[in-house]
Amino acid sequence: MLYIIGLGLGDEQDITLKGLEAVKKCNKVYMEAYTSLLSFGLSTDGLSNLEKLYGKPIILADREMVEEKAHEILSEAHDAHVAFLVVGDPFGATTHTDLVVRAKKMAIDVKIVHNASVMNAIGICGLQLYRYGETVSIPFFTETWRPDSFYEKIQRNRMMGLHTLCLLDIRVKEPTLESLCRGRKTYEPPRYMTINTAIEQLLEIVEAREESAYNKDTECVGLARLGSEDQMIVAGTMKQLQLIDFGAPLHCLVITGKTHPVEEEMLDFYRCRT
Amino acid sequence: MLYIIGLGLGDEQDITLKGLEAVKKCNKVYMEAYTSLLSFGLSTDGLSNLEKLYGKPIILADREMVEEKAHEILSEAHDAHVAFLVVGDPFGATTHTDLVVRAKKMAIDVKIVHNASVMNAIGICGLQLYRYGETVSIPFFTETWRPDSFYEKIQRNRMMGLHTLCLLDIRVKEPTLESLCRGRKTYEPPRYMTINTAIEQLLEIVEAREESAYNKDTECVGLARLGSEDQMIVAGTMKQLQLIDFGAPLHCLVITGKTHPVEEEMLDFYRCRT
């Protein structure tokens, strides 16, 4: 049996009773990505708060490992209980559909344990979930690669008065250019896009296109560390949010569409006062 | 302190450790809607599985009570810990924004405990969450009231190749027409829209409008009891799904947009073979 278990967004206490019970039953526990484990806290003995809660070790599986060793992980799930832990919901922003498809093809039973993900927890800012259009991902611009295909999606959402959830780029275990040339893998330090960078890029695009789906006076909501004890939510114009230090990752951004009075009332609590 | 706690979608084991800890701390525990408590199972001693898990009574609060007694509930939260339980996520399909706004205006601290809701758990059908357009709600048609404003939203989503999540009507504690006339409140038995009824109404609309945003051959996914042990997921055309008995509520329906090969692979596992 393969259990794919959502851990929710905050800390180790965000797992469900059903999820914890499944983990305790499992002979092997995998977790996607190293940085995720770090975000759950490491203590002096090197164990994570998750491992302490579960009373068993966790095997860290980055994307590379999942892709290369999926067959191995899945084979174990043939005769034993294997848990695969995922931050958020199993089918949230990051998809694990492929792992499920492979498992099903190998006739392995799969159980999903759902949890909150950014896709629904974003509701906390007060903008109603059924008033969102298509979600977009904003990748880091580089000197030579400045993709902006998400602009049309934002534009369409805005034209229909819908809100847009912008998921901001996470670059973890990216091989350095040097290592790619030398054929020996070394990795860049992890990078997480801030709300400030996202807005900078968004404004650059609209300027370059000489269009106006949004501008520096467009109302947005910036959210940092959503679901954590120290989450930060600020509503304001792009210009206002650009000046705010939202602190540690992860960040995300909502570009508002047409708002309803009840939405406005809630946004007021988060409004930037500068 | 007011805790608004998401219970997730399945049974009492879907609460998070954080949620359970908060409930145990609370002097009073409210829960929205009677039918929700029933869905968590009642035992012979009349206690729900939730009450057994929490070791304390739950006060059922229907929409009327929440609206009329909100001030009372909130006043209690001034000096004590009060929990307000919500199926799914606190800000999921049903909104509790208003309660939060009122609490904040009364200077009461509010803590949100997130959980899965239909808005993200729907990901289990394999259609990627960031490929959904605006969500629609489909209300029961009556003899005299056949609203179809959601049609345009489906049409827009389809034109952009996006999937549409259709939330189906729930009618609980609706006063009977007779009781409204007589001024004494009696209620209709609860009704939950089935996938079959939803499709029937959807096809009626498209026929009456002589339009073609979708038709009986449009691919959909029907989901019943999402997140429960006995959930049922079937992919097929409207015509195919209309012939299927999805069993007990709750039901929801996804009208697919343009699908990606990975989405198709996953849908294949759910595909109707008739």
Side-chain angles (χ1 to χ4, degrees):
Chain A
M1 175 80 82
L2 176 69
Y3 293 90
I4 306 191
I5 300 168
L7 297 181
L9 295 168
D11 57 36
E12 69 281 4
Q13 302 290 324
D14 281 315
I15 195 169
T16 65
L17 301 189
K18 198 173 276 172
L20 184 60
E21 200 184 307
V23 170
K24 294 208 160 163
K25 219 188 294 182
C26 282
N27 312 85
K28 254 189 172 164
V29 182
Y30 291 90
M31 173 158 184
E32 211 217 1
Y34 181 60
T35 47
S36 303
L37 189 65
L38 276 180
S39 78
F40 284 98
L42 284 179
S43 58
T44 46
D45 54 8
L47 289 175
S48 69
N49 289 329
L50 281 181
E51 289 172 302
K52 290 197 167 163
L53 178 64
Y54 303 159
K56 56 179 79 177
I58 295 173
I59 303 157
L60 293 166
D62 55 27
R63 191 164 286 271
E64 246 171 51
M65 175 170 168
V66 175
E67 277 160 15
E68 285 164 19
K69 297 201 176 175
H71 193 81
E72 206 173 292
I73 297 174
L74 291 173
S75 299
E76 292 169 348
H78 248 310
D79 331 290
H81 291 297
V82 173
F84 195 79
L85 308 178
V86 176
V87 177
D89 184 69
F91 300 105
T94 304
T95 167
H96 296 86
T97 311
D98 192 54
L99 200 64
V100 176
V101 168
R102 283 187 194 217
K104 286 187 182 244
K105 282 188 180 164
M106 287 168 73
I108 293 161
D109 283 332
V110 181
K111 269 209 178 165
I112 303 297
V113 182
H114 288 291
N115 211 320
S117 74
V118 61
M119 304 296 276
N120 70 325
I122 194 73
I124 198 168
C125 75
L127 298 169
Q128 299 295 308
L129 291 181
Y130 55 84
R131 296 292 302 150
Y132 280 76
E134 195 175 356
T135 297
V136 305
S137 293
I138 302 187
F140 274 116
F141 280 0
T142 68
E143 281 302 309
T144 51
W145 194 63
R146 304 175 97 73
D148 62 357
S149 58
F150 51 85
Y151 174 83
E152 271 95 14
K153 296 180 184 177
I154 299 172
Q155 189 176 40
R156 282 195 310 220
N157 288 343
R158 297 269 298 165
M159 272 169 51
M160 295 184 288
L162 300 174
H163 315 309
T164 309
L165 169 60
C166 306
L167 301 174
L168 310 188
D169 204 359
I170 298 174
R171 293 179 73 83
V172 175
K173 275 203 107 175
E174 294 290 326
T176 60
L177 194 60
E178 197 195 3
S179 83
L180 283 177
C181 299
R182 291 190 185 176
R184 201 179 36 169
K185 279 192 181 167
T186 56
Y187 299 97
E188 287 179 4
R191 285 171 75 202
Y192 304 91
M193 187 183 287
T194 60
I195 289 161
N196 320 72
T197 301
I199 292 176
E200 191 187 308
Q201 294 190 180
L202 282 164
L203 291 176
E204 183 187 312
I205 291 167
V206 87
E207 210 164 292
R209 290 183 171 233
E210 294 176 14
E211 290 194 30
S212 56
Y214 54 81
N215 59 48
K216 63 184 179 4
D217 296 316
T218 301
E219 291 284 338
C220 292
V221 187
L223 301 99
R225 300 171 302 287
L226 181 61
S228 301
E229 283 294 316
D230 67 340
Q231 73 181 2
M232 185 172 166
I233 305 175
V234 187
T237 63
M238 288 196 178
K239 197 169 57 182
Q240 285 175 318
L241 297 191
Q242 217 171 3
L243 299 173
I244 291 171
D245 179 2
F246 280 90
L250 298 173
H251 294 186
C252 65
L253 179 71
V254 180
I255 303 174
T256 62
K258 227 179 116 197
T259 50
H260 183 274
V262 177
E263 293 180 316
E264 281 295 330
E265 262 196 313
M266 187 79 161
L267 285 183
D268 268 344
F269 293 111
Y270 299 125
R271 207 145 259 152
C272 174
R273 307 286 172 208
T274 55
Chain B
M1 173 81 82
L2 176 70
Y3 293 90
I4 305 191
I5 300 169
L7 297 183
L9 295 167
D11 56 36
E12 69 279 5
Q13 300 291 323
D14 280 316
I15 196 170
T16 66
L17 302 188
K18 198 173 276 171
L20 184 60
E21 200 185 305
V23 170
K24 294 207 159 162
K25 222 189 290 180
C26 281
N27 312 86
K28 253 189 173 166
V29 182
Y30 291 91
M31 173 158 184
E32 210 217 2
Y34 180 59
T35 48
S36 303
L37 189 65
L38 276 181
S39 78
F40 284 97
L42 284 180
S43 57
T44 46
D45 54 9
L47 289 175
S48 69
N49 290 327
L50 282 180
E51 289 173 302
K52 289 199 167 162
L53 179 64
Y54 303 160
K56 57 178 78 176
I58 297 173
I59 304 156
L60 293 168
D62 56 26
R63 192 164 286 273
E64 245 170 53
M65 175 172 170
V66 175
E67 276 160 16
E68 284 163 21
K69 297 201 175 173
H71 194 81
E72 206 173 291
I73 297 174
L74 291 173
S75 299
E76 292 169 349
H78 248 309
D79 332 288
H81 291 297
V82 173
F84 194 81
L85 309 178
V86 176
V87 176
D89 184 69
F91 299 105
T94 304
T95 168
H96 296 86
T97 312
D98 191 55
L99 200 64
V100 176
V101 167
R102 284 186 193 217
K104 286 188 183 244
K105 282 187 179 164
M106 288 168 71
I108 293 162
D109 284 330
V110 180
K111 270 209 174 163
I112 303 297
V113 181
H114 288 291
N115 211 320
S117 74
V118 60
M119 304 298 275
N120 70 325
I122 193 72
I124 198 168
C125 75
L127 299 168
Q128 299 296 308
L129 291 181
Y130 55 84
R131 296 291 303 150
Y132 280 76
E134 195 174 355
T135 297
V136 306
S137 293
I138 303 188
F140 274 116
F141 279 0
T142 69
E143 282 302 309
T144 51
W145 193 64
R146 303 174 98 73
D148 62 357
S149 60
F150 50 85
Y151 175 83
E152 270 94 16
K153 295 180 185 177
I154 298 171
Q155 189 177 41
R156 282 196 311 222
N157 288 344
R158 296 268 301 165
M159 273 170 51
M160 294 185 288
L162 301 175
H163 315 309
T164 309
L165 170 59
C166 306
L167 302 175
L168 310 189
D169 205 358
I170 297 173
R171 294 179 71 85
V172 175
K173 273 204 110 176
E174 294 290 327
T176 60
L177 194 60
E178 195 196 3
S179 82
L180 284 177
C181 299
R182 293 192 183 174
R184 199 179 39 168
K185 279 192 180 169
T186 55
Y187 299 97
E188 288 179 3
R191 284 172 75 203
Y192 305 91
M193 187 183 286
T194 61
I195 289 160
N196 320 72
T197 301
I199 292 175
E200 192 187 307
Q201 293 192 181
L202 281 164
L203 291 176
E204 183 187 313
I205 292 168
V206 86
E207 211 164 291
R209 290 183 171 233
E210 294 176 12
E211 289 194 29
S212 58
Y214 54 82
N215 59 48
K216 64 184 177 7
D217 297 316
T218 300
E219 291 284 339
C220 293
V221 188
L223 301 99
R225 300 171 302 286
L226 182 62
S228 301
E229 283 294 317
D230 68 338
Q231 72 180 1
M232 184 172 166
I233 306 175
V234 186
T237 62
M238 288 197 177
K239 197 170 54 181
Q240 286 174 320
L241 297 190
Q242 217 171 3
L243 299 175
I244 292 170
D245 179 1
F246 281 89
L250 298 173
H251 294 185
C252 65
L253 179 72
V254 181
I255 303 174
T256 61
K258 229 181 115 196
T259 50
H260 183 273
V262 177
E263 294 180 314
E264 283 293 331
E265 263 196 313
M266 188 80 162
L267 285 184
D268 268 344
F269 293 111
Y270 299 124
R271 207 145 259 152
C272 174
R273 306 288 170 208
T274 56

